[in-house]
Amino acid sequence: MTAVRKSFVERGWHLPDRRLPGGTVTAVRDAVLGHLDAAERAGGAARAWAAFPKPHLVLPAVVELADRPEITESVRDVLGAAFGIWSSAIFVSPPGTGTGFGWHQDALSYDLDGDGGRALRVWVALTPATRENGTMWFADGSHRWGTLDHDLDDPDRGRSLSPDRVPGEKFPVLLDEGGFSMHDLRLAHSSGRNTTDRPRINVAVDYVAPEAVPGAGCAGVLPLTAGFRAPWRTEPDPRNSDAARTRRACVTESARRLRSALDLAARDGLTLALGPADDA
Ligand SMILES: O=C(O)CCC(=O)C(=O)O
């Protein structure tokens, strides 16, 4: 076991001392902002799935980023030689108004047995991530407590944990532009308000190793190495697939993930307080 993996398994996070080149950061930032604008104009499924859970399927620049050696060498240190992209997310915290996310565990709505460091999130700073612009905070070792009771349901900050019930020492994840953090999907983390006059922009990429065990709705993966077999389902790589195919994959695989999250919530007996649709 590498020293990095040992520490990741114990503490639930790792901050690699590496940075992506400025040209890559600029290209990805331009691509994600252009994508969000186009999705807003297009509406419908494009807008619904613009930022989560699979925007990388229509964003070659994000797959390019996820496949950069600065990141893949760090991912390999934890997951081993075989891995693929499972999901991605785009976070834009606007100046002065970003609400941030309450303390939560990403794994809450994921039907994936990733215990033991078989899945992780890489959070890339496309702008610096500072206390002032509401960077993420990690709770050291909190992944070892399993799924925690997310007792708060705040309309602004989402379903989250009361801060005083979050185990582990809390610390801010401070990153220069092009820096990145890694965390276990069960690690409790939060983010704050952006009090600066510039947006904070991040892209997150979730990686899985073939040994993680997905539920049916979570089995789509874009492999970056060999080693994925059934039940994993291979998704097209937007770097070398036609646009219609990747758009279809983005919508269908995103919808599968949403259905899986709802099934999981129902199975766990959570009440889904869904109000009427805006236009109902
Ligand atoms: O960027 C943020 O504000 C929150 C990020 C986050 O919670 C995550 O990547 O899991």
Side-chain angles (χ1 to χ4, degrees):
M1 190 187 290
T2 65
V4 172
R5 180 169 165 81
K6 187 165 180 292
S7 162
F8 188 90
V9 168
E10 263 169 41
R11 310 194 75 169
W13 57 271
H14 177 55
L15 296 178
D17 190 16
R18 307 197 64 168
R19 263 176 82 171
L20 296 150
T24 299
V25 172
T26 306
V28 178
R29 200 170 51 216
D30 290 351
V32 299
L33 293 179
H35 160 78
L36 292 179
D37 268 359
E40 193 58 40
R41 284 195 304 275
R47 184 167 59 193
W49 308 119
F52 182 76
K54 303 260 184 185
H56 62 281
L57 291 180
V58 291
L59 275 168
V62 170
V63 177
E64 210 58 76
L65 171 83
D67 208 10
R68 290 273 325 174
E70 294 84 353
I71 297 184
T72 54
E73 284 163 16
S74 305
V75 170
R76 189 171 300 124
D77 281 341
V78 176
L79 297 185
F83 49 84
I85 305 175
W86 187 56
S87 34
S88 55
I90 301 168
F91 297 98
V92 179
S93 179
T97 59
T99 53
F101 289 83
W103 287 95
H104 66 280
Q105 294 170 297
D106 297 332
L108 187 67
S109 59
Y110 291 170
D111 190 5
L112 178 80
D113 182 355
D115 283 12
R118 296 294 171 211
L120 58 83
R121 171 164 285 199
V122 169
W123 191 71
V124 183
L126 299 178
T127 55
T130 65
R131 286 174 191 265
E132 292 73 28
N133 68 14
T135 192
M136 272 198 306
W137 286 64
F138 284 167
D140 189 25
S142 51
H143 63 305
R144 292 202 306 266
W145 294 70
T147 305
L148 297 160
D149 180 19
H150 288 54
D151 56 323
L152 301 179
D153 200 0
D154 180 320
D156 285 336
R157 289 168 67 80
R159 186 168 279 281
S160 61
L161 297 149
S162 300
D164 58 355
R165 295 177 58 241
V166 176
E169 190 180 333
K170 297 163 187 150
F171 64 95
V173 177
L174 303 175
L175 297 171
D176 292 332
E177 183 175 295
F180 58 97
S181 61
M182 300 163 73
H183 68 266
D184 185 295
L185 298 178
R186 296 160 303 160
L187 188 81
H189 58 287
S190 66
S191 62
R193 288 178 190 277
N194 180 358
T195 60
T196 70
D197 58 4
R198 291 168 161 246
R200 171 174 60 79
I201 307 170
N202 295 80
V203 164
V205 180
D206 298 327
Y207 295 81
V208 282
E211 298 81 21
V213 182
C218 290
V221 66
L222 194 168
L224 293 178
T225 68
F228 283 90
R229 281 178 288 279
W232 290 108
R233 210 175 32 247
T234 299
E235 295 169 343
D237 186 332
R239 293 175 297 183
N240 50 36
S241 305
D242 75 80
R245 182 160 176 245
T246 56
R247 262 202 312 275
R248 214 168 33 246
C250 179
V251 171
T252 54
E253 290 297 333
S254 297
R256 279 192 176 117
R257 282 283 290 275
L258 177 69
R259 193 167 59 194
S260 153
L262 294 174
D263 287 350
L264 200 62
R267 203 169 70 203
D268 289 352
L270 296 180
T271 309
L272 293 173
L274 297 178
D278 286 347
D279 55 356

Short mmCIF file of all heavy atoms in Angstrom, two decimals, residues 127-166:
data_model
loop_
_atom_site.label_atom_id
_atom_site.label_comp_id
_atom_site.label_asym_id
_atom_site.label_seq_id
_atom_site.Cartn_x
_atom_site.Cartn_y
_atom_site.Cartn_z
N THR A 127 -10.26 28.69 -10.15
CA THR A 127 -9.86 29.99 -9.61
C THR A 127 -9.26 29.65 -8.25
O THR A 127 -9.50 28.55 -7.75
CB THR A 127 -11.09 30.91 -9.39
OG1 THR A 127 -12.01 30.22 -8.55
CG2 THR A 127 -11.78 31.27 -10.69
N PRO A 128 -8.53 30.54 -7.60
CA PRO A 128 -8.04 30.19 -6.26
C PRO A 128 -9.24 29.85 -5.37
O PRO A 128 -10.34 30.38 -5.55
CB PRO A 128 -7.35 31.48 -5.79
CG PRO A 128 -7.00 32.21 -7.05
CD PRO A 128 -8.08 31.88 -8.04
N ALA A 129 -9.04 28.95 -4.42
CA ALA A 129 -10.09 28.60 -3.45
C ALA A 129 -9.61 29.06 -2.07
O ALA A 129 -8.62 28.53 -1.55
CB ALA A 129 -10.35 27.10 -3.48
N THR A 130 -10.29 30.06 -1.52
CA THR A 130 -9.83 30.72 -0.29
C THR A 130 -10.95 30.74 0.76
O THR A 130 -12.11 30.48 0.43
CB THR A 130 -9.44 32.19 -0.60
OG1 THR A 130 -10.64 32.89 -1.01
CG2 THR A 130 -8.41 32.28 -1.71
N ARG A 131 -10.58 31.08 2.00
CA ARG A 131 -11.62 31.25 3.03
C ARG A 131 -12.63 32.30 2.58
O ARG A 131 -13.83 32.16 2.76
CB ARG A 131 -10.99 31.76 4.33
CG ARG A 131 -10.20 30.75 5.10
CD ARG A 131 -9.53 31.48 6.26
NE ARG A 131 -8.55 30.66 6.91
CZ ARG A 131 -8.79 29.93 7.99
NH1 ARG A 131 -9.95 29.95 8.57
NH2 ARG A 131 -7.82 29.19 8.52
N GLU A 132 -12.09 33.39 1.98
CA GLU A 132 -12.95 34.53 1.63
C GLU A 132 -13.97 34.17 0.53
O GLU A 132 -15.08 34.68 0.53
CB GLU A 132 -12.09 35.72 1.14
CG GLU A 132 -11.22 36.34 2.22
CD GLU A 132 -10.03 35.46 2.60
OE1 GLU A 132 -9.55 34.67 1.76
OE2 GLU A 132 -9.59 35.55 3.77
N ASN A 133 -13.56 33.31 -0.41
CA ASN A 133 -14.54 32.99 -1.47
C ASN A 133 -15.27 31.67 -1.20
O ASN A 133 -15.90 31.11 -2.08
CB ASN A 133 -13.93 33.06 -2.87
CG ASN A 133 -12.90 31.97 -3.16
OD1 ASN A 133 -12.80 30.99 -2.43
ND2 ASN A 133 -12.15 32.13 -4.24
N GLY A 134 -15.23 31.22 0.05
CA GLY A 134 -16.09 30.11 0.48
C GLY A 134 -15.59 28.74 0.08
O GLY A 134 -16.37 27.87 -0.29
N THR A 135 -14.28 28.54 0.19
CA THR A 135 -13.74 27.22 -0.18
C THR A 135 -14.37 26.10 0.65
O THR A 135 -15.06 26.34 1.64
CB THR A 135 -12.21 27.20 0.00
OG1 THR A 135 -11.71 26.01 -0.64
CG2 THR A 135 -11.80 27.16 1.47
N MET A 136 -14.08 24.85 0.25
CA MET A 136 -14.57 23.70 1.02
C MET A 136 -13.85 23.58 2.35
O MET A 136 -12.70 23.98 2.49
CB MET A 136 -14.28 22.39 0.25
CG MET A 136 -15.35 21.99 -0.71
SD MET A 136 -15.22 20.24 -1.16
CE MET A 136 -13.56 20.05 -1.71
N TRP A 137 -14.55 22.97 3.31
CA TRP A 137 -13.94 22.56 4.57
C TRP A 137 -14.10 21.04 4.67
O TRP A 137 -15.14 20.50 4.29
CB TRP A 137 -14.65 23.22 5.76
CG TRP A 137 -14.32 24.68 5.91
CD1 TRP A 137 -14.61 25.68 5.03
CD2 TRP A 137 -13.63 25.29 7.01
NE1 TRP A 137 -14.14 26.89 5.52
CE2 TRP A 137 -13.54 26.68 6.73
CE3 TRP A 137 -13.09 24.82 8.21
CZ2 TRP A 137 -12.93 27.58 7.60
CZ3 TRP A 137 -12.49 25.72 9.08
CH2 TRP A 137 -12.40 27.08 8.77
N PHE A 138 -13.06 20.39 5.18
CA PHE A 138 -13.11 18.94 5.41
C PHE A 138 -13.18 18.66 6.91
O PHE A 138 -12.62 19.43 7.71
CB PHE A 138 -11.83 18.27 4.89
CG PHE A 138 -11.74 18.11 3.38
CD1 PHE A 138 -10.52 17.78 2.79
CD2 PHE A 138 -12.85 18.28 2.56
CE1 PHE A 138 -10.41 17.62 1.42
CE2 PHE A 138 -12.75 18.12 1.17
CZ PHE A 138 -11.53 17.79 0.61
N ALA A 139 -13.82 17.56 7.28
CA ALA A 139 -13.81 17.08 8.67
C ALA A 139 -12.94 15.82 8.69
O ALA A 139 -13.36 14.76 8.20
CB ALA A 139 -15.22 16.79 9.15
N ASP A 140 -11.74 16.00 9.21
CA ASP A 140 -10.71 14.95 9.20
C ASP A 140 -11.24 13.62 9.75
O ASP A 140 -11.78 13.58 10.87
CB ASP A 140 -9.54 15.44 10.06
CG ASP A 140 -8.33 14.56 9.97
OD1 ASP A 140 -8.18 13.87 8.95
OD2 ASP A 140 -7.53 14.56 10.94
N GLY A 141 -11.12 12.53 8.99
CA GLY A 141 -11.47 11.19 9.47
C GLY A 141 -12.96 10.91 9.56
O GLY A 141 -13.36 9.82 9.99
N SER A 142 -13.81 11.86 9.15
CA SER A 142 -15.26 11.68 9.34
C SER A 142 -15.83 10.55 8.47
O SER A 142 -16.92 10.03 8.76
CB SER A 142 -16.00 12.99 9.07
OG SER A 142 -15.62 13.53 7.82
N HIS A 143 -15.13 10.14 7.41
CA HIS A 143 -15.63 9.06 6.55
C HIS A 143 -15.72 7.75 7.33
O HIS A 143 -16.49 6.86 6.96
CB HIS A 143 -14.70 8.87 5.35
CG HIS A 143 -13.32 8.44 5.72
ND1 HIS A 143 -12.54 9.14 6.61
CD2 HIS A 143 -12.58 7.36 5.35
CE1 HIS A 143 -11.39 8.50 6.76
NE2 HIS A 143 -11.39 7.43 6.01
N ARG A 144 -14.95 7.64 8.42
CA ARG A 144 -14.92 6.36 9.15
C ARG A 144 -16.20 6.14 9.97
O ARG A 144 -16.42 5.06 10.48
CB ARG A 144 -13.70 6.32 10.07
CG ARG A 144 -12.39 6.25 9.29
CD ARG A 144 -11.27 5.69 10.16
NE ARG A 144 -11.13 6.43 11.39
CZ ARG A 144 -10.28 7.44 11.58
NH1 ARG A 144 -9.49 7.83 10.59
NH2 ARG A 144 -10.22 8.06 12.73
N TRP A 145 -17.03 7.17 10.08
CA TRP A 145 -18.27 7.06 10.85
C TRP A 145 -19.42 6.52 10.01
O TRP A 145 -20.55 6.44 10.49
CB TRP A 145 -18.64 8.43 11.44
CG TRP A 145 -17.65 8.90 12.46
CD1 TRP A 145 -16.37 9.30 12.23
CD2 TRP A 145 -17.85 8.99 13.87
NE1 TRP A 145 -15.76 9.65 13.42
CE2 TRP A 145 -16.65 9.47 14.43
CE3 TRP A 145 -18.93 8.72 14.70
CZ2 TRP A 145 -16.49 9.67 15.80
CZ3 TRP A 145 -18.78 8.92 16.06
CH2 TRP A 145 -17.57 9.38 16.60
N GLY A 146 -19.18 6.17 8.75
CA GLY A 146 -20.25 5.64 7.90
C GLY A 146 -21.22 6.75 7.53
O GLY A 146 -20.91 7.94 7.64
N THR A 147 -22.42 6.36 7.10
CA THR A 147 -23.40 7.36 6.68
C THR A 147 -23.98 8.05 7.90
O THR A 147 -24.54 7.40 8.79
CB THR A 147 -24.53 6.70 5.87
OG1 THR A 147 -23.93 5.98 4.79
CG2 THR A 147 -25.48 7.74 5.30
N LEU A 148 -23.84 9.36 7.96
CA LEU A 148 -24.32 10.13 9.11
C LEU A 148 -25.73 10.65 8.83
O LEU A 148 -26.13 10.79 7.68
CB LEU A 148 -23.36 11.30 9.37
CG LEU A 148 -21.94 10.86 9.76
CD1 LEU A 148 -20.94 12.00 9.53
CD2 LEU A 148 -21.90 10.42 11.22
N ASP A 149 -26.46 10.93 9.91
CA ASP A 149 -27.84 11.39 9.77
C ASP A 149 -27.85 12.86 9.33
O ASP A 149 -27.46 13.74 10.10
CB ASP A 149 -28.55 11.21 11.13
CG ASP A 149 -29.98 11.67 11.05
OD1 ASP A 149 -30.51 11.79 9.93
OD2 ASP A 149 -30.57 11.94 12.13
N HIS A 150 -28.26 13.11 8.09
CA HIS A 150 -28.32 14.48 7.56
C HIS A 150 -29.65 15.08 8.04
O HIS A 150 -30.68 14.97 7.37
CB HIS A 150 -28.22 14.47 6.04
CG HIS A 150 -26.84 14.14 5.55
ND1 HIS A 150 -26.16 13.01 5.93
CD2 HIS A 150 -26.01 14.80 4.71
CE1 HIS A 150 -24.96 12.99 5.35
NE2 HIS A 150 -24.85 14.07 4.60
N ASP A 151 -29.61 15.68 9.22
CA ASP A 151 -30.84 16.06 9.91
C ASP A 151 -31.40 17.41 9.49
O ASP A 151 -32.53 17.74 9.82
CB ASP A 151 -30.61 16.04 11.43
CG ASP A 151 -29.43 16.94 11.84
OD1 ASP A 151 -28.44 16.99 11.08
OD2 ASP A 151 -29.52 17.60 12.88
N LEU A 152 -30.63 18.23 8.74
CA LEU A 152 -31.12 19.55 8.34
C LEU A 152 -31.55 19.53 6.88
O LEU A 152 -30.90 18.88 6.06
CB LEU A 152 -30.02 20.61 8.50
CG LEU A 152 -29.42 20.78 9.89
CD1 LEU A 152 -28.33 21.85 9.85
CD2 LEU A 152 -30.51 21.18 10.89
N ASP A 153 -32.63 20.24 6.55
CA ASP A 153 -33.05 20.34 5.15
C ASP A 153 -33.29 21.80 4.84
O ASP A 153 -34.41 22.29 4.87
CB ASP A 153 -34.30 19.48 4.90
CG ASP A 153 -34.45 19.18 3.42
OD1 ASP A 153 -33.59 19.64 2.63
OD2 ASP A 153 -35.43 18.50 3.06
N ASP A 154 -32.20 22.51 4.57
CA ASP A 154 -32.24 23.95 4.36
C ASP A 154 -32.46 24.23 2.87
O ASP A 154 -31.74 23.68 2.03
CB ASP A 154 -30.87 24.50 4.84
CG ASP A 154 -30.75 25.99 4.70
OD1 ASP A 154 -31.22 26.52 3.68
OD2 ASP A 154 -30.17 26.61 5.60
N PRO A 155 -33.45 25.06 2.52
CA PRO A 155 -33.71 25.30 1.09
C PRO A 155 -32.50 25.88 0.36
O PRO A 155 -32.31 25.65 -0.84
CB PRO A 155 -34.88 26.30 1.08
CG PRO A 155 -35.14 26.67 2.49
CD PRO A 155 -34.35 25.78 3.41
N ASP A 156 -31.64 26.64 1.07
CA ASP A 156 -30.47 27.25 0.41
C ASP A 156 -29.28 26.31 0.39
O ASP A 156 -28.54 26.25 -0.58
CB ASP A 156 -30.03 28.53 1.15
CG ASP A 156 -30.97 29.67 0.87
OD1 ASP A 156 -31.63 29.61 -0.19
OD2 ASP A 156 -31.05 30.59 1.71
N ARG A 157 -29.08 25.59 1.48
CA ARG A 157 -27.83 24.83 1.60
C ARG A 157 -28.04 23.32 1.43
O ARG A 157 -27.10 22.55 1.53
CB ARG A 157 -27.15 25.14 2.95
CG ARG A 157 -26.58 26.57 2.96
CD ARG A 157 -26.17 27.02 4.34
NE ARG A 157 -25.04 26.33 4.91
CZ ARG A 157 -23.77 26.58 4.62
NH1 ARG A 157 -23.47 27.50 3.73
NH2 ARG A 157 -22.81 25.92 5.21
N GLY A 158 -29.26 22.91 1.18
CA GLY A 158 -29.50 21.49 0.88
C GLY A 158 -29.58 20.64 2.14
O GLY A 158 -29.54 21.14 3.26
N ARG A 159 -29.73 19.31 1.93
CA ARG A 159 -29.80 18.38 3.06
C ARG A 159 -28.42 18.29 3.67
O ARG A 159 -27.43 18.05 2.97
CB ARG A 159 -30.29 17.01 2.58
CG ARG A 159 -30.53 16.02 3.69
CD ARG A 159 -31.27 14.80 3.19
NE ARG A 159 -32.71 15.02 3.10
CZ ARG A 159 -33.53 14.98 4.15
NH1 ARG A 159 -33.09 14.75 5.35
NH2 ARG A 159 -34.83 15.18 3.97
N SER A 160 -28.33 18.49 4.98
CA SER A 160 -27.00 18.56 5.58
C SER A 160 -27.03 18.16 7.05
O SER A 160 -28.09 17.90 7.63
CB SER A 160 -26.43 19.97 5.43
OG SER A 160 -27.26 20.89 6.08
N LEU A 161 -25.82 18.11 7.61
CA LEU A 161 -25.63 17.69 9.00
C LEU A 161 -25.52 18.92 9.89
O LEU A 161 -24.85 19.88 9.51
CB LEU A 161 -24.28 16.97 9.12
CG LEU A 161 -24.08 15.69 8.34
CD1 LEU A 161 -22.62 15.51 7.93
CD2 LEU A 161 -24.50 14.54 9.24
N SER A 162 -26.11 18.89 11.07
CA SER A 162 -25.88 19.98 12.02
C SER A 162 -24.39 20.05 12.28
O SER A 162 -23.76 19.02 12.58
CB SER A 162 -26.57 19.70 13.36
OG SER A 162 -27.94 19.56 13.17
N PRO A 163 -23.79 21.26 12.17
CA PRO A 163 -22.33 21.38 12.31
C PRO A 163 -21.79 20.77 13.60
O PRO A 163 -20.72 20.17 13.61
CB PRO A 163 -22.09 22.89 12.27
CG PRO A 163 -23.27 23.44 11.53
CD PRO A 163 -24.43 22.54 11.82
N ASP A 164 -22.56 20.89 14.70
CA ASP A 164 -22.03 20.38 15.98
C ASP A 164 -22.07 18.85 16.04
O ASP A 164 -21.55 18.25 16.98
CB ASP A 164 -22.77 21.01 17.17
CG ASP A 164 -24.27 20.76 17.11
OD1 ASP A 164 -24.73 20.19 16.10
OD2 ASP A 164 -24.97 21.14 18.07
N ARG A 165 -22.67 18.21 15.05
CA ARG A 165 -22.71 16.74 15.06
C ARG A 165 -21.72 16.14 14.07
O ARG A 165 -21.69 14.93 13.85
CB ARG A 165 -24.14 16.27 14.74
CG ARG A 165 -25.12 16.70 15.83
CD ARG A 165 -26.56 16.32 15.53
NE ARG A 165 -26.70 14.88 15.34
CZ ARG A 165 -27.13 14.33 14.22
NH1 ARG A 165 -27.45 15.08 13.20
NH2 ARG A 165 -27.24 13.04 14.13
N VAL A 166 -20.90 17.03 13.45
CA VAL A 166 -19.91 16.52 12.47
C VAL A 166 -18.65 16.09 13.22
O VAL A 166 -18.03 16.91 13.90
CB VAL A 166 -19.57 17.63 11.45
CG1 VAL A 166 -18.48 17.16 10.50
CG2 VAL A 166 -20.81 18.05 10.68
#
